[in-house]
Structures are given as C-alpha cells and as structure tokens.
C-alpha cells in the first residue's frame, strides 16, 4: 500500500482498526509524469478540422485485458467525481448506515440539484441526527442549468446542500457518526474515514495512491491511473449482488437520475443501455462498464466536457455496443448561425460506429 498517509489517524479523533484500512495490499502507485495524451476527437466545421481534443482512452475486455488503448492510461491522474462509486463502496465498508438504493445512488452522485436530490441528502443527514450545517463541502448553486435558473429565480444563493457532491458528504458524515469519529474534521486526509476510503480505492484499482489533493468540493482526492480506475469500474460491474461493490453497482444502474440528473447525458446513456455502470467527472473523465466486465475509461486532456461522451461512445462501440444505441451520443453538433454545420466525433472510431454516417474532413487534392 502506498504511504501517503502523512497524518496519524489518532489526530483526527479515532484510530483505524479492522475494515478496509487494515492490511489490504495494493500494487505500486502509477508513475507521476506529464501524460502522453494523443488526439482523440476532431471538431469539424463544414468539412474542415477546426479543433482537436487530445486525451487518453482504454478499453478492457471481459477478461480484464487491455483490448484497445490510445494515449497514456498508465500515468497518475485525478479521476475527480468518477471516483465516487469507489468511495461509495468504501463508505459501505466503513460502516455507512443502511440506505435504500436511491439514496445510495446519491452517495455516488454529482447531482444536478433537483428537489429529489436535495430531499434525499437531507434524509441521509436527518437519519444520522445531523443537519446541513454539519456539511463541510463548499457552498454552490445547483449544477443543472434548469435547476440553477429556478434556484436563482427564487432568490436563493449558494448552498452546501445544493452543491453537487452533497450526497457523498452527507454519507461521509453519517459514517463518521456511526463509528464515533469526529465530525468537524471528516475531510482531513488523516481522518480515519479518509484512511478507509483511500484503502478501498487502492484495493479496487489494484495500485497505490500516487498523490492526494483536495477536490473541488473540499474532500480528499486520490490520484490513480486511468487503467486502474477502469479496472475498478469493471470490478463493481461484475460484483456479486450481496457485496458492497455489487450494492453500489445496482444502485447506480437502477437510479441513473439520482447519480446525475434526469436529462444529463450519463443518465440517458444508462437508460439506453440497461445494465451499464457509468460515472462522469470534471475535467473530461468518464468510466463505463458492462455487466460482463467489458469497460472503458476516458480522459480528455483539456477537460472539455463536449468531447467526453463522443469519445466514450466510440470506446463502447469497441465493446460491441450496437451503433443504434450509441448514435445519440456519438457526435456533438457544431453550429453556425444557429444551424448545424459540422460535428465533434472521435478520430478513430471502429467500423460500424455512427460516425460513419458523417462526411469525413476534406483532404487536399493530390
């Protein structure tokens, strides 16, 4: 296991005994370097390549071997919110009080701030004898555009509950309360809760944590590799239903609208492909795993969200997902004067990918 743990758990109000943090072995941390990203998506306007998005892609077969790779899937990177399903598993292992599937899905969510999201986060807190005042995530407006506009129309300002990670933070607090750990320092990397979560991330990815930083919400964020993260997604997707991994996978699959929002692209993809486990993250990160273990991981180098889903769709096509299922996700329109004059799509799609229906960029005459 990597030895990033620089603070004794005792200083955070408790000690770690048993559970995920006790003796779970992991491989070496991934190398810390500038990732060797490559071009993965073209922005085509009227037949000419106007822009190029670089990134990395990995596709795993059902046996866990790498079936396809672009760029650098081995370098350390920050998964951002794509790490949340792994953290949800860690919270279950650490003693998260029982939740129904919808609430467990919210624990792994980057939610839009719909009323059902806020109500569920409140319920997690209430059942643990806590309130919104106990949260330590950063106050923010709802993430969803419609939800944010409605929020502002009501004259409301930034709120910890409305921030898209409030489900995870509510669950962290509920777990700390159940274990008798300090609540005010639950975001300290040396807190026993964070030790437990780190150990779970290492065990599921099969590699040590390379770096620890602070995510946008204020929680510790662990650097692993895109390959390690994708392998962890496959582990969740293939887990037995009665395991912690299987419980999280079932919740995320069954309630995609709780993991994101009713109109978000990840929720629409899961509804279009039943059985898929999928989670996005800021800075252009996406994981998706099928029930048989086939899985994909995507990182867009410049963090552009517009390239994330088209590149993911091309990767899922390499897993054998039918083109008609992927067609709504395979390209993004490029507009001119309010009219579609081009598209964004993966550069290297497999045969039969919906990109085949679009004209290729024009080539100079010989």
């Amino acid at each position: 296991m990597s030895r990033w743990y620089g603070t004794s758990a005792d200083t955070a109000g408790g000690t770690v005994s048993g559970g995920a943090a006790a003796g779970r072995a992991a491989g070496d941390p991934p190398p810390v370097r500038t990732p060797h990203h490559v071009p993965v998506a073209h922005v085509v306007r009227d037949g000419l390549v106007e822009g190029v998005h670089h990134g990395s892609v990995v596709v795993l077969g059902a046996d866990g071997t790498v079936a396809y790779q672009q760029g650098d899937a081995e370098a350390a990177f920050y998964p951002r919110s794509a790490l949340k399903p792994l953290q949800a598993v860690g919270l279950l292992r650490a003693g998260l009080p029982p939740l129904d599937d919808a609430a467990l899905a919210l624990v792994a969510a980057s939610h839009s701030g719909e009323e059902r999201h806020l109500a569920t986060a409140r319920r997690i807190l209430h059942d643990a004898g806590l309130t919104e005042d106990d949260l330590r995530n950063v106050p923010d407006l709802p993430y969803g555009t419609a939800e944010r506009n409605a929020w502002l129309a009501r004259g409301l300002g930034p709120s910890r509950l409305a921030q898209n990670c409030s489900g995870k933070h509510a669950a962290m607090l509920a777990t700390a309360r159940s274990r008798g750990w300090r609540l005010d320092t639950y975001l300290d990397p040396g807190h026993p809760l964070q030790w437990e979560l780190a150990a779970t991330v290492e065990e599921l990815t099969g590699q040590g944590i390379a770096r620890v930083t602070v995510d946008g919400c204020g929680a510790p964020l662990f650097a692993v590799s895109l390959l390690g993260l994708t392998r962890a997604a496959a582990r969740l997707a293939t887990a037995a239903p009665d395991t912690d991994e299987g419980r999280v996978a079932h919740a995320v699959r069954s309630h995609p609208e709780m993991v994101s929002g009713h109109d978000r692209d990840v929720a629409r993809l899961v509804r279009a492909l039943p059985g898929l486990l999928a989670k996005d993250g800021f800075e252009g990160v996406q994981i998706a795993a099928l029930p048989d273990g086939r899985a994909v991981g995507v990182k867009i180098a410049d963090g552009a969200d517009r390239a994330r889903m088209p590149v993911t769709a091309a990767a899922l096509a390499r897993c054998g997902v039918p083109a008609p299922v992927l067609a709504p996700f395979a390209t993004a329109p490029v507009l001119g004067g309010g009219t579609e004059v081009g598209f964004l799509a993966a550069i290297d799609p497999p045969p039969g990918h919906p990109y085949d229906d679009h004209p290729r960029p024009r080539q100079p005459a010989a």
Side-chain angles (χ1 to χ4, degrees), residues 1-363:
M1 184 179 292
S2 68
R3 296 291 89 195
W4 63 265
Y5 311 103
T7 306
S8 168
D10 290 335
T11 67
T15 57
V16 178
S17 59
R24 290 185 184 253
D28 293 333
V32 176
R33 63 184 180 220
T34 300
H36 307 306
H37 294 304
V38 299
V40 294
H42 276 159
V43 180
V44 181
R45 182 180 294 271
D46 195 24
L48 296 178
V49 175
E50 183 178 34
V52 179
H53 290 289
H54 290 66
S56 295
V57 180
V58 63
V59 178
L60 301 181
D63 61 356
T65 59
V66 176
Y68 177 80
Q69 182 171 328
Q70 289 178 286
D72 192 350
E74 288 82 21
F77 89 124
Y78 291 120
R80 302 302 298 272
S81 287
L83 195 67
K84 286 176 179 173
L86 283 64
Q87 292 171 306
V89 172
L91 286 166
L92 288 174
R93 291 179 176 181
L96 176 65
L99 298 176
D100 58 35
D101 288 341
L104 185 55
L106 190 76
V107 174
S110 302
H111 64 72
S112 292
E114 299 171 18
E115 182 50 42
R116 59 183 158 187
H117 300 146
L118 307 186
T120 303
R122 285 192 200 96
R123 175 161 56 89
I124 295 172
L125 290 167
H126 178 269
D127 289 350
L130 302 164
T131 71
E132 181 179 354
D133 292 338
D134 294 299
L135 293 170
R136 294 290 182 268
N137 58 319
V138 295
D140 201 356
L141 298 172
Y143 179 71
T145 301
E147 291 77 16
R148 186 185 312 116
N149 291 340
W151 189 267
L152 291 171
R154 293 166 56 193
L156 300 175
S159 158
R160 296 186 194 277
L161 198 69
Q163 198 268 339
N164 75 88
C165 303
S166 63
K168 177 179 77 174
H169 282 257
M172 286 180 174
L173 280 166
T175 304
R177 168 61 61 87
S178 75
R179 293 289 295 270
W181 293 330
R182 285 183 60 174
L183 302 181
D184 58 334
T185 59
Y186 77 94
L187 295 183
D188 187 324
H191 193 284
L193 174 71
Q194 300 302 335
W195 279 49
E196 294 270 358
L197 299 187
T200 295
V201 168
E202 291 190 324
E203 191 262 323
L204 291 175
T205 61
Q207 56 191 193
I209 290 169
R211 289 287 189 274
V212 180
T213 187
V214 182
D215 209 342
C217 64
L221 175 63
F222 311 125
V224 293
S225 72
L226 184 62
L227 178 58
L229 180 70
T230 307
R231 285 181 169 153
R235 287 192 61 176
L236 267 64
T238 58
D242 59 348
T243 63
D244 292 330
E245 296 93 323
R247 289 182 58 199
V248 171
H250 176 73
V252 169
R253 288 165 171 154
S254 302
H255 296 277
E257 74 289 346
M258 295 298 289
V259 180
S260 53
H262 73 279
D263 60 347
R264 298 257 293 277
D265 58 8
V266 177
R268 290 188 284 109
L269 180 64
V270 172
R271 289 195 293 265
L273 191 56
L276 185 73
L277 182 151
K279 182 69 184 76
D280 56 337
F282 280 170
E283 296 299 320
V285 182
Q286 181 72 56
I287 51 173
L290 295 160
D292 66 356
R294 291 172 293 166
V296 306
V298 169
K299 163 63 181 173
I300 305 301
D302 62 1
D305 192 62
R306 66 177 182 174
R308 171 183 51 82
M309 190 54 74
V311 174
T312 299
L316 284 171
R318 294 186 180 277
C319 292
V321 177
V325 173
L326 296 174
F329 310 97
T331 62
V334 171
L335 303 180
T339 302
E340 186 172 342
V341 296
F343 61 93
L344 184 155
I347 290 174
D348 185 29
H353 185 263
Y355 176 83
D356 288 342
D357 296 335
H358 288 72
R360 295 296 196 273
R362 296 172 185 168
Q363 301 297 324

